[in-house]
Amino acid sequence: MSIFNRMFTSDGMAIRLTRLKFVVLMAAVLCAAGCPRGDFNAGKRAEAVQDYDTALIYYERALQADPTNTEYKMKAMRLRFEAGQHHVELGQKIRQGGDLQMALAEFQKALMIDPASAIAQQEIQNATDAIAARQAASQARPAPAPSEAAPRVMAGPPQLMPLSRTPINLTMTNDVKLVYEAVARLAGLTVLFDPDYTSRRISIELNNVTLEQALDVVSLEGKAFWKPVTNNIIFVAPDQAQKRRDYEEAVVKTIYLGNTILPQELTEIINVLRQLLDLRRIQQFNSQNAIVVRDTPDKIMLIEKIVNDLDKAKPEVLIQFAVLQARRDRLRDLGISPGTTASLAFNPNSSSSTSSSSTSTTTSSIPLNELKSLSTADYSITLPGATATALLTDSQTKIIDDPSIRIVDGLAAKLRIGDRVPVATGSFQAGVGVGAAGAAGGVINPLVNTQFQYLDVGVNVDVTPRIHLNDEVSMKLVVEVSSVTGTSSIGGINQPIISTRSISHDVRLRDGEVNVLGGLIRNSQTKSVTGWPGFSQIPFLRYFFSQEHVQDEDSEVLIVVIPHIIRKLNLTAENLRSIASGTDTNPAIRLDTEVLSPPLAPAPGAPPAAPGAPAPVPPGAQAAPGAPQGQMARLRFEPAASTLRVGETTIIGLVVQDAQDLFSIPVLLQYNPAVVSVEDVRQGGFLSGGTQPVAIVHRADRERGQAIISATRMPNTPGISGTGTIFGIVVRGVAPGSSPLSVLQVNARDSQQRALPLVTSEATLNVTP
């Protein structure tokens, strides 16, 4: 006892209580810090508020503490996908606002979270390309002149390497062979002719054309074709199908495809190539997923272009389904159920006596002379009983099914989650007793002649998606939610009663859009009263003379679908670009350096002209020294500011003011290709003077946001002076934003081919959604 008192003195007890609180607090902190369940619960709370990054951190922390826990592992894997997809969708929204750098950061974060995300990799590449294109547009430089850029070469037949690539100017009427030789001498080439080639007299006029263009024009006039034999020798033959087969060299190319899955897909590409290019020597190789083709170099390049455009990874979509079912049943039985019948029995007693004893018997009949002696003892009444009931049943059922399925574009997918329930089909008979003379004998089993079919009961989904280029998904859906609600005996066999809710329709949704496919709300209320008439209507007392049965049933079923595009069709600007493919009988390609009018190159070492700045004065231009700026010829856009919608077109006029003897005017325009594009050029009427035809050449480079436009009067005609519209530029809105339209370079000339200095300005194009 003394030891006990010494341990619990006032000071000692306070110290020990303080230490106890400290120990308890530290244990709670350590438990919270190191308990996997605590991290898991924190992750669930973060997931509930859609803070996927925090939730993933908690789930991975819980998984590190307990690596064998399957629940932690599944949560961490699912949240890794959810978090990555969340950042991809966030980056797409930011990119729509025009902030490419911030969007790229979100896509990179998505790839760091989920390295397996294909759409994150695609979006990173697309954002990088868009940023590079924007920087190239802001620092646009004019295209190099043909004399400064070497043509692209390819393995196979020899390519021309002339001594000179100076633009050719030649006007000549003579024998076609002599014209060929004159063009060849200008470039330092040698010409050989087929022995069967018949010469003819032609007239040509070549102005500022490249060597290849000149040879093509002469061949067109002379009904011939040419091909290089060596780097400085060309061969000319009649343009006949047999001659082309004899002289055109062929190459063999094996093209490997990386995204086709079925041999049928490879066959479809082969059929497209055969129909478009009339190929004869092409074969598919299914085991290596390859195409082997032998044909001319031009056709091979066209084949590679088409194959690169078609061999794309198919888009994929992850479709989430949410099936929500809630049911509540309430049952109340309250009151006293009294009896409803009473019986009255007549039991008179009759006595008889003998000499030795007397007896008393009960009979239901008595003589008439004894009626006067009847009493209450001769009757018996049986009163009814009563049952008191006080019962309350309240049941709630909640079912949440959240299946997900990943599908390739255009392919059907099926999802079955549940049980397979046997259902009897066909004919069957109940058991029949068999025996001799009515004795029990053998029994025929009712299952002998019965066939069973298994039904999928649970959540059944059949879906075929189609992913569109505008981030929308069309789906052909069949969703069925079923469950076994009871059994019914049919012919001695218990058959299941299956409750089914199903939806079958077509729907088109945006990426990430939550849509309610269908639902059912059902409310059933039943009320019945059992008791004595009259008494069952009296307040409060009715519970002693009646029984009340009240039953409420509430049920709700909701089916929700959410599509998530996890891989898109990755189309680049090169895939969407069209290329020249020659004539119907002679498919061919043109090199990038072959332009109808040579672009204007700045002087060596000169910086690119800023938009809106005056064009550089070409060599030989005679500008009056000290002349006022306003007296020089000017080049402006009308209207100077325009507003159009996405997909809408408008015409911007290029007007020259105070021009003197204007004969030709090549210009290089610059614009933002992400906002607008130059679709066409129309004659303005100023250079024609109302009577003379004008040659207008237009070449647009939509990737770089540049357009070369040249307007020239006919030879041997004077120039035009005054003010007027040279041509109209047809501009189409591509995406919301603002873009300047400026003259980057101009090289106007008069009828004596002298340079005319011009002062330029720029226009502003605003594109709205």
Side-chain angles (χ1 to χ4, degrees), residues 49 77 116 127 130 133 147-148 254 291 302 322 356 364 368-369 437 456 473 486 539 570 624 654 671 697 719 729:
V49 297
M77 292 175 62
S147 58
E148 298 178 359
T254 302
I291 297 174
L302 291 174
S356 61
S364 58
L368 293 175
N369 57 0
D456 293 314
V473 182
N570 191 20
L654 186 62
Y671 57 89
V697 176
I729 306 167

PDB file of all heavy atoms in Angstrom, residues 49 77 116 127 130 133 147-148 254 291 302 322 356 364 368-369 437 456 473 486 539 570 624 654 671 697 719 729:
ATOM      1  N   VAL A  49     -12.212  14.070 -54.743  1.00  0.00           N
ATOM      2  CA  VAL A  49     -12.273  15.477 -55.167  1.00  0.00           C
ATOM      3  C   VAL A  49     -11.504  15.688 -56.472  1.00  0.00           C
ATOM      4  O   VAL A  49     -11.202  16.822 -56.835  1.00  0.00           O
ATOM      5  CB  VAL A  49     -11.727  16.402 -54.059  1.00  0.00           C
ATOM      6  CG1 VAL A  49     -12.591  16.311 -52.823  1.00  0.00           C
ATOM      7  CG2 VAL A  49     -10.276  16.065 -53.732  1.00  0.00           C
ATOM      8  N   MET A  77      -2.345   1.540 -60.234  1.00  0.00           N
ATOM      9  CA  MET A  77      -2.321   1.417 -61.692  1.00  0.00           C
ATOM     10  C   MET A  77      -3.436   2.234 -62.337  1.00  0.00           C
ATOM     11  O   MET A  77      -3.224   2.921 -63.338  1.00  0.00           O
ATOM     12  CB  MET A  77      -2.445  -0.060 -62.082  1.00  0.00           C
ATOM     13  CG  MET A  77      -1.243  -0.913 -61.711  1.00  0.00           C
ATOM     14  SD  MET A  77      -1.505  -2.667 -62.064  1.00  0.00           S
ATOM     15  CE  MET A  77      -1.724  -2.607 -63.826  1.00  0.00           C
ATOM     16  N   ALA A 116       3.311   4.948 -70.538  1.00  0.00           N
ATOM     17  CA  ALA A 116       2.685   4.133 -71.575  1.00  0.00           C
ATOM     18  C   ALA A 116       1.604   4.875 -72.341  1.00  0.00           C
ATOM     19  O   ALA A 116       0.958   4.286 -73.205  1.00  0.00           O
ATOM     20  CB  ALA A 116       2.088   2.865 -70.948  1.00  0.00           C
ATOM     21  N   ALA A 127       2.486  19.384 -80.326  1.00  0.00           N
ATOM     22  CA  ALA A 127       2.746  20.688 -79.726  1.00  0.00           C
ATOM     23  C   ALA A 127       4.136  21.199 -80.102  1.00  0.00           C
ATOM     24  O   ALA A 127       4.317  22.395 -80.371  1.00  0.00           O
ATOM     25  CB  ALA A 127       2.603  20.601 -78.206  1.00  0.00           C
ATOM     26  N   ALA A 130       3.938  22.460 -83.621  1.00  0.00           N
ATOM     27  CA  ALA A 130       3.212  23.727 -83.694  1.00  0.00           C
ATOM     28  C   ALA A 130       4.073  24.888 -83.197  1.00  0.00           C
ATOM     29  O   ALA A 130       4.051  25.986 -83.766  1.00  0.00           O
ATOM     30  CB  ALA A 130       1.921  23.628 -82.880  1.00  0.00           C
ATOM     31  N   ALA A 133       6.589  25.622 -85.883  1.00  0.00           N
ATOM     32  CA  ALA A 133       5.961  26.316 -87.012  1.00  0.00           C
ATOM     33  C   ALA A 133       5.684  27.772 -86.675  1.00  0.00           C
ATOM     34  O   ALA A 133       5.852  28.661 -87.520  1.00  0.00           O
ATOM     35  CB  ALA A 133       4.661  25.600 -87.399  1.00  0.00           C
ATOM     36  N   SER A 147      18.687  28.689-108.220  1.00  0.00           N
ATOM     37  CA  SER A 147      20.129  28.592-108.456  1.00  0.00           C
ATOM     38  C   SER A 147      20.894  28.349-107.172  1.00  0.00           C
ATOM     39  O   SER A 147      22.041  27.951-107.209  1.00  0.00           O
ATOM     40  CB  SER A 147      20.628  29.878-109.112  1.00  0.00           C
ATOM     41  OG  SER A 147      20.320  30.990-108.274  1.00  0.00           O
ATOM     42  N   GLU A 148      20.262  28.614-106.010  1.00  0.00           N
ATOM     43  CA  GLU A 148      20.967  28.469-104.737  1.00  0.00           C
ATOM     44  C   GLU A 148      20.666  27.160-104.043  1.00  0.00           C
ATOM     45  O   GLU A 148      21.341  26.800-103.099  1.00  0.00           O
ATOM     46  CB  GLU A 148      20.600  29.627-103.804  1.00  0.00           C
ATOM     47  CG  GLU A 148      21.000  30.988-104.342  1.00  0.00           C
ATOM     48  CD  GLU A 148      20.569  32.086-103.413  1.00  0.00           C
ATOM     49  OE1 GLU A 148      19.946  31.773-102.382  1.00  0.00           O
ATOM     50  OE2 GLU A 148      20.840  33.252-103.691  1.00  0.00           O
ATOM     51  N   THR A 254      11.229  -2.079-101.275  1.00  0.00           N
ATOM     52  CA  THR A 254      10.476  -2.819-100.265  1.00  0.00           C
ATOM     53  C   THR A 254      10.008  -1.827 -99.192  1.00  0.00           C
ATOM     54  O   THR A 254      10.841  -1.170 -98.559  1.00  0.00           O
ATOM     55  CB  THR A 254      11.324  -3.927 -99.633  1.00  0.00           C
ATOM     56  OG1 THR A 254      11.770  -4.818-100.657  1.00  0.00           O
ATOM     57  CG2 THR A 254      10.516  -4.710 -98.616  1.00  0.00           C
ATOM     58  N   ILE A 291       5.401  -4.501 -98.513  1.00  0.00           N
ATOM     59  CA  ILE A 291       5.004  -4.395 -99.925  1.00  0.00           C
ATOM     60  C   ILE A 291       6.277  -4.305-100.753  1.00  0.00           C
ATOM     61  O   ILE A 291       7.163  -3.497-100.455  1.00  0.00           O
ATOM     62  CB  ILE A 291       4.128  -3.157-100.168  1.00  0.00           C
ATOM     63  CG1 ILE A 291       2.815  -3.253 -99.389  1.00  0.00           C
ATOM     64  CG2 ILE A 291       3.841  -2.974-101.651  1.00  0.00           C
ATOM     65  CD1 ILE A 291       1.974  -2.002 -99.474  1.00  0.00           C
ATOM     66  N   LEU A 302       5.510   8.305-105.389  1.00  0.00           N
ATOM     67  CA  LEU A 302       4.074   8.437-105.165  1.00  0.00           C
ATOM     68  C   LEU A 302       3.564   7.312-104.261  1.00  0.00           C
ATOM     69  O   LEU A 302       2.711   7.535-103.386  1.00  0.00           O
ATOM     70  CB  LEU A 302       3.324   8.419-106.501  1.00  0.00           C
ATOM     71  CG  LEU A 302       3.529   9.633-107.406  1.00  0.00           C
ATOM     72  CD1 LEU A 302       2.859   9.408-108.753  1.00  0.00           C
ATOM     73  CD2 LEU A 302       2.990  10.888-106.748  1.00  0.00           C
ATOM     74  N   ALA A 322     -20.864   3.477 -66.194  1.00  0.00           N
ATOM     75  CA  ALA A 322     -21.263   3.535 -64.781  1.00  0.00           C
ATOM     76  C   ALA A 322     -22.722   3.123 -64.705  1.00  0.00           C
ATOM     77  O   ALA A 322     -23.599   3.789 -65.274  1.00  0.00           O
ATOM     78  CB  ALA A 322     -21.066   4.938 -64.215  1.00  0.00           C
ATOM     79  N   SER A 356     -79.967 -49.081  -9.485  1.00  0.00           N
ATOM     80  CA  SER A 356     -78.648 -49.105  -8.821  1.00  0.00           C
ATOM     81  C   SER A 356     -77.880 -47.801  -8.952  1.00  0.00           C
ATOM     82  O   SER A 356     -77.073 -47.457  -8.105  1.00  0.00           O
ATOM     83  CB  SER A 356     -77.784 -50.250  -9.384  1.00  0.00           C
ATOM     84  OG  SER A 356     -77.591 -50.043 -10.783  1.00  0.00           O
ATOM     85  N   SER A 364     -77.847 -33.767 -28.580  1.00  0.00           N
ATOM     86  CA  SER A 364     -78.225 -32.562 -29.297  1.00  0.00           C
ATOM     87  C   SER A 364     -79.721 -32.462 -29.515  1.00  0.00           C
ATOM     88  O   SER A 364     -80.193 -31.522 -30.149  1.00  0.00           O
ATOM     89  CB  SER A 364     -77.494 -32.530 -30.661  1.00  0.00           C
ATOM     90  OG  SER A 364     -77.831 -33.695 -31.401  1.00  0.00           O
ATOM     91  N   LEU A 368     -89.929 -32.441 -26.549  1.00  0.00           N
ATOM     92  CA  LEU A 368     -90.612 -31.166 -26.460  1.00  0.00           C
ATOM     93  C   LEU A 368     -91.055 -30.850 -25.030  1.00  0.00           C
ATOM     94  O   LEU A 368     -91.072 -29.679 -24.623  1.00  0.00           O
ATOM     95  CB  LEU A 368     -91.827 -31.138 -27.396  1.00  0.00           C
ATOM     96  CG  LEU A 368     -91.500 -31.171 -28.902  1.00  0.00           C
ATOM     97  CD1 LEU A 368     -92.802 -31.253 -29.702  1.00  0.00           C
ATOM     98  CD2 LEU A 368     -90.726 -29.942 -29.296  1.00  0.00           C
ATOM     99  N   ASN A 369     -91.363 -31.904 -24.272  1.00  0.00           N
ATOM    100  CA  ASN A 369     -91.871 -31.635 -22.929  1.00  0.00           C
ATOM    101  C   ASN A 369     -90.790 -31.154 -21.980  1.00  0.00           C
ATOM    102  O   ASN A 369     -91.068 -30.764 -20.852  1.00  0.00           O
ATOM    103  CB  ASN A 369     -92.549 -32.879 -22.344  1.00  0.00           C
ATOM    104  CG  ASN A 369     -91.611 -34.091 -22.295  1.00  0.00           C
ATOM    105  OD1 ASN A 369     -90.453 -34.004 -22.705  1.00  0.00           O
ATOM    106  ND2 ASN A 369     -92.104 -35.219 -21.798  1.00  0.00           N
ATOM    107  N   ALA A 437     -49.065 -53.358 -60.348  1.00  0.00           N
ATOM    108  CA  ALA A 437     -50.218 -53.420 -59.431  1.00  0.00           C
ATOM    109  C   ALA A 437     -50.229 -52.240 -58.488  1.00  0.00           C
ATOM    110  O   ALA A 437     -50.534 -52.354 -57.310  1.00  0.00           O
ATOM    111  CB  ALA A 437     -50.228 -54.743 -58.665  1.00  0.00           C
ATOM    112  N   ASP A 456     -25.777 -15.054 -69.920  1.00  0.00           N
ATOM    113  CA  ASP A 456     -24.896 -14.140 -69.201  1.00  0.00           C
ATOM    114  C   ASP A 456     -25.747 -13.162 -68.402  1.00  0.00           C
ATOM    115  O   ASP A 456     -26.478 -12.348 -68.975  1.00  0.00           O
ATOM    116  CB  ASP A 456     -23.997 -13.373 -70.175  1.00  0.00           C
ATOM    117  CG  ASP A 456     -22.999 -14.279 -70.865  1.00  0.00           C
ATOM    118  OD1 ASP A 456     -22.380 -15.101 -70.169  1.00  0.00           O
ATOM    119  OD2 ASP A 456     -22.850 -14.172 -72.103  1.00  0.00           O
ATOM    120  N   VAL A 473     -16.560  10.900 -80.585  1.00  0.00           N
ATOM    121  CA  VAL A 473     -16.618   9.448 -80.707  1.00  0.00           C
ATOM    122  C   VAL A 473     -18.068   9.053 -80.971  1.00  0.00           C
ATOM    123  O   VAL A 473     -18.963   9.405 -80.190  1.00  0.00           O
ATOM    124  CB  VAL A 473     -16.105   8.739 -79.434  1.00  0.00           C
ATOM    125  CG1 VAL A 473     -16.128   7.226 -79.620  1.00  0.00           C
ATOM    126  CG2 VAL A 473     -14.698   9.205 -79.093  1.00  0.00           C
ATOM    127  N   GLY A 486     -35.479 -14.309 -58.731  1.00  0.00           N
ATOM    128  CA  GLY A 486     -36.279 -15.369 -58.117  1.00  0.00           C
ATOM    129  C   GLY A 486     -36.253 -16.602 -58.983  1.00  0.00           C
ATOM    130  O   GLY A 486     -35.518 -16.689 -59.975  1.00  0.00           O
ATOM    131  N   PRO A 539     -59.948   6.690 -34.726  1.00  0.00           N
ATOM    132  CA  PRO A 539     -58.540   7.042 -34.442  1.00  0.00           C
ATOM    133  C   PRO A 539     -58.050   6.393 -33.162  1.00  0.00           C
ATOM    134  O   PRO A 539     -58.785   6.283 -32.176  1.00  0.00           O
ATOM    135  CB  PRO A 539     -58.578   8.568 -34.344  1.00  0.00           C
ATOM    136  CG  PRO A 539     -59.791   8.968 -35.111  1.00  0.00           C
ATOM    137  CD  PRO A 539     -60.803   7.872 -34.909  1.00  0.00           C
ATOM    138  N   ASN A 570      -2.768  10.241 -85.967  1.00  0.00           N
ATOM    139  CA  ASN A 570      -1.731  11.270 -85.981  1.00  0.00           C
ATOM    140  C   ASN A 570      -1.471  11.713 -87.417  1.00  0.00           C
ATOM    141  O   ASN A 570      -0.661  11.130 -88.143  1.00  0.00           O
ATOM    142  CB  ASN A 570      -0.447  10.725 -85.334  1.00  0.00           C
ATOM    143  CG  ASN A 570       0.557  11.823 -85.073  1.00  0.00           C
ATOM    144  OD1 ASN A 570       0.213  12.993 -85.015  1.00  0.00           O
ATOM    145  ND2 ASN A 570       1.812  11.443 -84.913  1.00  0.00           N
ATOM    146  N   ALA A 624      14.539  58.720-107.670  1.00  0.00           N
ATOM    147  CA  ALA A 624      14.963  60.124-107.646  1.00  0.00           C
ATOM    148  C   ALA A 624      15.564  60.436-106.298  1.00  0.00           C
ATOM    149  O   ALA A 624      14.949  60.223-105.261  1.00  0.00           O
ATOM    150  CB  ALA A 624      13.759  61.025-107.921  1.00  0.00           C
ATOM    151  N   LEU A 654      -4.950  43.611-103.717  1.00  0.00           N
ATOM    152  CA  LEU A 654      -3.608  44.198-103.704  1.00  0.00           C
ATOM    153  C   LEU A 654      -3.612  45.348-104.721  1.00  0.00           C
ATOM    154  O   LEU A 654      -3.703  45.117-105.934  1.00  0.00           O
ATOM    155  CB  LEU A 654      -2.549  43.167-104.046  1.00  0.00           C
ATOM    156  CG  LEU A 654      -1.103  43.647-103.915  1.00  0.00           C
ATOM    157  CD1 LEU A 654      -0.792  44.040-102.479  1.00  0.00           C
ATOM    158  CD2 LEU A 654      -0.121  42.579-104.378  1.00  0.00           C
ATOM    159  N   TYR A 671       2.160  35.342 -94.159  1.00  0.00           N
ATOM    160  CA  TYR A 671       0.997  35.313 -93.264  1.00  0.00           C
ATOM    161  C   TYR A 671       1.206  34.208 -92.233  1.00  0.00           C
ATOM    162  O   TYR A 671       2.170  33.431 -92.323  1.00  0.00           O
ATOM    163  CB  TYR A 671      -0.301  35.086 -94.060  1.00  0.00           C
ATOM    164  CG  TYR A 671      -0.312  33.816 -94.888  1.00  0.00           C
ATOM    165  CD1 TYR A 671      -0.758  32.614 -94.365  1.00  0.00           C
ATOM    166  CD2 TYR A 671       0.160  33.839 -96.201  1.00  0.00           C
ATOM    167  CE1 TYR A 671      -0.753  31.464 -95.123  1.00  0.00           C
ATOM    168  CE2 TYR A 671       0.169  32.692 -96.970  1.00  0.00           C
ATOM    169  CZ  TYR A 671      -0.293  31.506 -96.426  1.00  0.00           C
ATOM    170  OH  TYR A 671      -0.285  30.366 -97.173  1.00  0.00           O
ATOM    171  N   VAL A 697       0.623  33.840-112.072  1.00  0.00           N
ATOM    172  CA  VAL A 697       1.186  32.605-111.524  1.00  0.00           C
ATOM    173  C   VAL A 697       1.070  32.665-110.009  1.00  0.00           C
ATOM    174  O   VAL A 697       1.388  33.675-109.387  1.00  0.00           O
ATOM    175  CB  VAL A 697       2.656  32.430-111.950  1.00  0.00           C
ATOM    176  CG1 VAL A 697       3.250  31.190-111.302  1.00  0.00           C
ATOM    177  CG2 VAL A 697       2.755  32.337-113.461  1.00  0.00           C
ATOM    178  N   GLY A 719       3.732  49.124-120.651  1.00  0.00           N
ATOM    179  CA  GLY A 719       3.278  49.007-119.281  1.00  0.00           C
ATOM    180  C   GLY A 719       2.050  49.868-119.028  1.00  0.00           C
ATOM    181  O   GLY A 719       1.573  50.608-119.882  1.00  0.00           O
ATOM    182  N   ILE A 729      -6.750  38.441-103.597  1.00  0.00           N
ATOM    183  CA  ILE A 729      -6.221  37.279-102.882  1.00  0.00           C
ATOM    184  C   ILE A 729      -7.366  36.666-102.080  1.00  0.00           C
ATOM    185  O   ILE A 729      -7.960  37.325-101.222  1.00  0.00           O
ATOM    186  CB  ILE A 729      -5.069  37.682-101.951  1.00  0.00           C
ATOM    187  CG1 ILE A 729      -3.999  38.441-102.759  1.00  0.00           C
ATOM    188  CG2 ILE A 729      -4.483  36.470-101.254  1.00  0.00           C
ATOM    189  CD1 ILE A 729      -3.001  39.147-101.887  1.00  0.00           C
TER     190      ILE A 729
END
